[in-house]
């Protein structure tokens, strides 16, 4: 993908034309939509009792200062990407998700879904966060803690679920903006709904000239801005009758990046076809989904001279990958009780074709393979009383891999993932909750077969890696009083055979690391979430206190007891929303203490305090102007040190216009904390989450 400024201007202009057409077709104000309580962090219609679920609504995303979903998700304490990276500026291989201090890595330790379809990269497990157009997203659901009992290995540390608008109502929603660092973005969602058939189209475009990540005092002639651009598009067709529905969706994503020097660039192309069918009554629905993805990543890597005056190409990479799968589930409700059973199959296949450049010449090298994963589960919610609910879940998985270029033959392996959770009302608006679970994550094809280099750090693959195994318990209380609520969780999670980049050798101009099953890590802490509804506004707070350490590592006992890299002790977020007539102001603060960037705890990064502000002025019932500022105070903070420091983005300003024609709510609005639905259990409604 190669785009010039004029082609991007044409894209933004097309979005502007569609937006103006939508405004001209403005409809009368629709009737209010009644809110209900629905969370789909589990495969059933409702989430299980005792889980720590967070829901970010369309309004939360709409008032985020940044035009990137992963940045909006940072208001959830414990949500991090590898090296505090930002999907607009970081290489895609650093965009894996970590929750609750399980340890950042390029692969991530959480599953990301888009309407039930896996969005993690089939080769490396990371996420292209721009694949789903922002205007099409109705809400995001986050389940913190093990999710393998329902979703399989990729959900070891939790689940992030992007839920699109249903397309059941005619609607046009869009945004156009421009700002600092040569940035421009536009997002459009349009749906045309009939009695039986409906169709929707969504487009998302973004471009930025980026910023210089190397500090001024260390910068040299070779350093350039981190720049990127992407274009996402999708078309969906839906069919619905009284007790059945089906959909088919075709999506495409293209991005290109400049990674800080003239020779370091990458681009990605992703095409996905997905389809689904569901049928049955409210008490016994069943559904199936299937998907197929083809993608290609191209990337180059270089070695920079010590004085940063020159660089030389060391490696070029091309990774074609294919993935596909199918999943199905069946639900049966009997009074207040519920049974869900289902299963899924996934296959991923990829090969990294690389050209290695040395002073003596260049030579080709290939690495890669395939992986098959299959699993089945049973999930039972029992509600013997109105004030008590218990969940029992069990899942079994098998997987096998093969190497196309030597190395691991991929013998068949298996894992069992259990879960027991409960919720007990001990007083009006007060619930005691608890959960115990087991989970796992098989290594990705990238971890098994491919090495890489970032700056002066070389990381080697390891074809002998085994799956990570997680055991966890958590417990706490949910309190709801009037216009406010508080949720507290104490948690403890242990990962056996955790995969990490372990330092083998440190030389003046080269640090060598290798992926290893380091033995055992442990993450324990306290998680607090709270919200207060105020007259004309609201206030939300979140805090995560984490002690995450390497407990045992036979290869290097010297690192035992060290803190897990990239995990801060404290992560605090605060958000305030206030309405002043037609003006809406949202402010957000994110603060985290200093994490280490290495397993030896010798490289400590800065703490960070980031302040974002979003101001929106409605010009009518459908059109708004907005101004947004990220990192308003211009905080300088490190995202990595290899050992050269790499800084996060500075102050960034955006100005733009939003439109929303048609019903403002195309889904029911989730307002609970991720537990049982009152509709079928009869249990009192649980507190609303960050909304």
């Amino acid at each position: 993908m190669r785009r010039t400024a004029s082609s991007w201007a044409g894209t933004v202009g097309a979005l502007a034309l569609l937006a103006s057409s939508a405004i001209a077709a403005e409809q009368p104000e629709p009737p209010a939509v009644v809110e209900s309580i629905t969370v789909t962090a589990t495969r059933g219609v409702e989430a299980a009792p005792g889980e720590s679920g967070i829901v970010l609504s369309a309004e939360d995303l709409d008032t985020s200062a940044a035009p990137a979903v992963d940045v909006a998700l940072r208001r959830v304490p414990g949500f991090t990407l590898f090296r505090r990276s930002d999907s607009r500026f970081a290489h895609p291989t650093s965009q894996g998700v970590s929750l609750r201090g399980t340890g950042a890595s390029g692969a991530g330790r959480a599953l990301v879904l888009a309407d039930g379809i896996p969005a993690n990269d089939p080769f490396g497990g990371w996420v292209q966060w721009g694949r789903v157009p922002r205007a099409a997203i109705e809400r995001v659901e986050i389940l913190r803690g093990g999710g393998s009992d329902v979703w399989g290995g990729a959900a070891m540390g939790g689940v992030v679920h992007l839920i699109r608008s249903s397309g059941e109502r005619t609607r046009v929603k869009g945004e156009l903006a421009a700002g600092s660092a040569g940035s421009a973005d536009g997002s459009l969602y349009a749906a045309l709904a009939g009695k039986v058939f409906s169709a929707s189209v969504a487009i998302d475009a973004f471009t930025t000239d980026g910023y210089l990540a190397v500090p001024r005092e260390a910068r040299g002639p070779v350093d350039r801005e981190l720049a990127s651009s992407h274009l996402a598009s999708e078309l969906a067709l839906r069919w619905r009758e009284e007790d059945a529905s089906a959909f088919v969706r075709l999506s495409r994503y293209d991005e290109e990046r400049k990674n800080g020097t003239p020779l370091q660039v990458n681009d990605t192309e992703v095409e996905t076809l997905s389809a689904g069918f569901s049928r049955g009554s409210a008490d016994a629905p069943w559904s199936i989904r299937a998907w197929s993805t083809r993608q290609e990543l191209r990337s180059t890597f270089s070695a920079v001279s010590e004085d940063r005056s020159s660089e030389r190409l060391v490696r070029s990479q091309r990774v074609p990958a294919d993935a596909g799968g199918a999943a199905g589930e069946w639900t049966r409700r009997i009074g207040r009780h519920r049974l869900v059973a289902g299963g899924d199959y996934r296959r991923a296949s990829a090969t990294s074709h690389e050209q290695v450049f040395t002073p003596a010449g260049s030579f080709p090298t290939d690495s890669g393979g395939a992986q098959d994963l299959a699993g089945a589960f049973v999930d039972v919610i029992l509600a013997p009383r109105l004030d008590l609910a218990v969940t029992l879940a069990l899942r079994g998985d098998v997987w096998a891999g093969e190497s196309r270029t030597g190395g691991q033959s991929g013998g068949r392996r298996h894992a069992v993932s259990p879960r027991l959770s409960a919720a007990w009302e001990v007083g009006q608006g007060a619930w005691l909750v608890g959960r115990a679970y087991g989970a796992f994550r098989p290594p990705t094809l990238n971890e098994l077969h491919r090495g890489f280099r970032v700056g002066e750090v070389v990381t080697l693959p390891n074809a002998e890696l085994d799956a990570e195994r997680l055991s966890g318990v958590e417990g706490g209380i949910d309190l709801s009083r009037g216009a406010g609520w508080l949720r507290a969780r104490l948690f403890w999670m242990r990962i056996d055979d955790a995969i990490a980049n372990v330092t083998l050798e440190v030389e003046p101009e080269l640090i060598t690391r290798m992926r290893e099953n380091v033995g055992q890590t442990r993450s324990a802490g306290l998680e607090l979430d709270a919200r207060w509804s105020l007259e004309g506004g609201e206030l939300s707070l979140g805090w995560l206190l984490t002690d995450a350490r390497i407990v045992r590592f036979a290869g290097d006992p010297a690192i035992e007891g060290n803190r897990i890299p990239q995990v801060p002790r404290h992560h605090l977020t605060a958000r305030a929303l206030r309405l002043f007539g037609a003006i809406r102001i949202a402010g957000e603060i994110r603060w985290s203490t200093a994490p280490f960037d290495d397993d030896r705890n010798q490289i400590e990064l800065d703490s960070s305090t980031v302040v974002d502000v979003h101001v929106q002025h409605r010009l009518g019932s459908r059109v708004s102007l907005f101004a947004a500022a990220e990192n308003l105070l211009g905080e300088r903070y490190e995202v990595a040190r290899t050992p050269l420091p790499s800084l996060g983005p500075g102050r960034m300003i955006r100005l733009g216009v939003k439109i929303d024609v048609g019903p403002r709510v195309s889904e029911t609005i989730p307002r609970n904390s991720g537990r049982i639905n009152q509709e079928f259990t009869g249990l009192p409604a649980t507190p609303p989450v960050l909304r």
Side-chain angles (χ1 to χ4, degrees):
M1 182 183 68
R2 297 290 183 267
R3 291 194 174 84
T4 65
S6 60
S7 64
W8 277 107
T11 300
V12 175
L15 289 173
L17 179 60
L18 288 169
S20 62
S21 300
I23 295 172
E26 182 173 325
Q27 301 174 358
E29 184 76 18
V33 178
V34 178
E35 296 182 357
S36 67
I37 302 170
T38 304
V39 169
T40 57
T42 64
R43 276 205 168 148
V45 177
E46 294 79 25
E51 293 180 346
S52 179
I54 289 288
V55 179
L56 300 187
S57 67
E59 182 182 50
D60 293 319
L61 301 175
D62 189 54
T63 56
S64 173
V69 174
D70 58 294
V71 179
L73 290 174
R74 290 167 191 258
R75 61 177 299 205
V76 178
F79 175 93
T80 58
L81 304 187
F82 188 40
R83 291 197 169 111
R84 304 188 202 176
S85 57
D86 181 326
S87 65
R88 295 167 295 175
F89 307 110
H91 196 278
T93 58
S94 67
Q95 295 174 30
V97 183
S98 171
L99 295 166
R100 276 188 175 172
T102 50
S105 72
R109 292 189 169 98
L111 173 65
V112 179
L113 300 164
D115 287 338
I117 306 299
N120 298 72
D121 184 275
F123 179 61
W126 47 78
V127 181
Q128 287 90 15
W129 289 95
R131 282 176 57 180
V132 180
R134 289 176 296 117
I137 300 175
E138 188 62 40
R139 66 184 185 271
V140 183
E141 301 174 357
I142 303 105
L143 169 67
R144 297 175 289 194
S148 294
D149 55 279
V150 170
W151 291 106
M156 182 182 76
V159 180
V160 178
H161 200 168
L162 310 180
I163 310 294
R164 295 178 177 90
S165 295
S166 66
E168 296 178 2
R169 297 174 176 86
T170 297
R171 187 188 190 195
V172 176
K173 179 183 178 183
E175 175 183 313
L176 282 170
S180 53
S183 64
D185 62 272
S187 190
L188 176 70
Y189 168 79
L192 179 63
K195 292 183 178 180
V196 177
F197 294 97
S198 63
S200 65
V201 62
I203 302 172
D204 194 279
F206 172 81
T207 184
T208 180
D209 293 336
Y211 71 100
L212 285 161
V214 178
R216 185 180 301 275
E217 61 273 16
R219 199 176 298 162
V222 76
D223 293 302
R224 299 289 189 275
E225 289 82 2
L226 299 175
S228 71
S229 59
H230 76 241
L231 178 63
S233 58
E234 56 185 38
L235 171 66
L237 303 175
R238 300 174 180 85
W239 166 83
R240 177 182 293 274
E241 289 190 347
E242 184 176 348
D243 62 348
S245 64
F247 79 91
V248 60
R249 177 180 291 108
L250 178 63
S251 61
R252 180 177 174 85
Y253 177 72
D254 295 273
E255 74 168 18
E256 63 179 19
R257 299 174 182 272
K258 298 178 181 179
N259 297 315
T261 67
L263 296 181
Q264 297 188 61
V265 297
N266 76 268
D267 61 82
T268 305
E269 298 176 359
V270 185
E271 294 179 342
T272 301
L273 175 65
S274 58
F277 178 81
S278 61
R279 192 179 185 91
S281 65
D283 291 331
W286 60 271
S287 65
I288 56 173
R289 297 194 179 206
W291 65 93
S292 177
T293 296
R294 300 190 67 180
Q295 70 177 56
E296 184 165 305
L297 166 70
R298 293 176 289 270
S299 190
T300 59
F301 305 87
S302 71
V304 179
S305 62
E306 187 174 358
D307 62 1
R308 306 199 64 78
S309 63
S310 63
E311 65 174 334
R312 63 177 179 86
L313 189 66
V314 296
R315 189 181 295 257
S316 66
Q317 174 191 25
R318 183 177 66 87
V319 187
D322 296 283
E329 60 264 1
W330 170 81
T331 301
R332 176 75 181 191
R333 294 173 179 167
I334 306 173
R336 294 189 299 266
H337 313 298
R338 185 195 72 179
L339 167 67
V340 180
D344 54 64
Y345 167 77
R346 304 177 190 179
R347 178 176 174 82
S349 175
T351 301
S352 181
H353 304 285
E354 304 188 26
Q355 190 75 18
V356 179
F357 301 91
T358 69
S362 64
F363 59 91
T365 178
D366 291 345
S367 59
Q371 204 173 51
D372 294 271
L373 304 96
F377 71 93
V378 176
D379 186 0
V380 181
I381 293 182
L382 303 174
R385 302 180 348 191
L386 294 179
D387 61 352
L388 177 66
V390 177
T391 296
L392 301 171
L394 184 67
R395 178 182 172 108
D397 284 271
V398 296
W399 71 95
E402 62 183 44
S403 173
R404 295 174 175 172
T405 53
Q408 180 175 328
S409 60
R412 187 181 301 275
R413 305 192 184 190
H414 69 277
V416 176
S417 304
R419 171 167 53 91
L420 170 64
S421 57
W424 176 36
E425 187 179 25
V426 295
Q428 185 64 35
W431 291 77
L432 291 179
V433 299
R435 190 160 68 117
Y437 46 83
F440 77 104
R441 183 183 75 87
T444 65
L445 296 174
N446 180 61
E447 290 172 319
L448 291 168
H449 302 298
R450 181 189 172 271
F452 66 96
R453 177 169 181 158
V454 178
E456 304 304 319
V457 179
V458 173
T459 302
L460 306 176
N462 185 350
E464 304 302 321
L465 290 173
D466 196 1
E468 300 178 330
R469 315 272 176 163
L470 181 145
S471 303
V473 294
E474 60 185 83
I477 189 168
D478 288 355
L479 298 174
S480 181
R481 291 290 186 271
W485 62 267
L486 170 70
R487 181 176 60 235
R489 295 287 190 277
L490 288 170
F491 65 89
W492 177 92
M493 296 185 295
R494 185 188 71 198
I495 300 178
D496 292 297
D497 297 323
I499 298 172
N501 298 335
V502 177
T503 303
L504 303 179
E505 188 175 8
V506 177
E507 298 179 356
E509 297 183 2
L510 187 67
I511 300 173
T512 302
R513 296 173 179 169
M514 186 175 187
R515 299 184 181 103
E516 298 273 9
N517 291 106
V518 298
Q520 188 181 96
T521 66
R522 182 261 299 149
S523 176
L526 171 65
E527 183 180 82
L528 295 175
D529 296 298
R531 186 184 74 92
W532 294 268
S533 293
L534 309 172
E535 184 177 354
E538 64 181 33
L539 176 65
S540 303
L541 295 174
W543 176 46
L544 180 68
L545 168 63
T546 313
D547 183 38
R549 296 187 179 273
I550 299 172
V551 177
R552 185 180 69 249
F553 179 53
D556 186 0
I559 69 173
E560 293 180 359
N562 286 357
R563 287 166 53 189
I564 296 176
Q566 301 294 329
V567 180
R569 289 182 182 274
H570 297 272
H571 186 184
L572 177 69
T573 66
R575 177 178 180 268
L577 177 67
R578 181 71 177 178
L579 299 177
F580 298 93
I583 298 176
R584 178 175 63 179
I585 301 176
E588 182 177 329
I589 299 175
R590 300 187 301 273
W591 171 75
S592 65
T593 53
F596 287 103
D597 197 40
D598 68 318
D599 56 300
R600 295 188 178 184
N601 287 185
Q602 296 176 350
I603 303 176
E604 188 175 25
L605 304 178
D606 297 333
S607 61
S608 68
T609 303
V610 178
V611 178
D612 292 349
V613 176
H614 186 283
V615 180
Q616 186 168 332
H617 182 206
R618 295 186 64 181
L619 300 180
S621 61
R622 304 302 182 186
V623 182
S624 301
L625 299 178
F626 74 91
E630 300 177 61
N631 195 3
L632 179 64
L633 304 182
E635 172 85 354
R636 168 178 155 153
Y637 62 95
E638 296 174 335
V639 298
R641 198 183 297 171
T642 60
L644 181 76
S646 181
L647 302 179
R651 183 185 300 107
M652 299 188 68
I653 309 294
R654 294 170 63 231
L655 302 175
V657 59
K658 300 175 185 284
I659 64 165
D660 196 346
V661 178
R664 289 195 177 88
V665 181
S666 59
E667 317 277 4
T668 56
I669 300 176
R671 294 295 299 255
N672 77 330
S673 61
R675 296 203 277 109
I676 280 187
N677 188 307
Q678 185 184 16
E679 179 185 15
F680 81 96
T681 64
L683 292 172
T686 53
V689 296
L690 301 178
R691 182 179 184 280

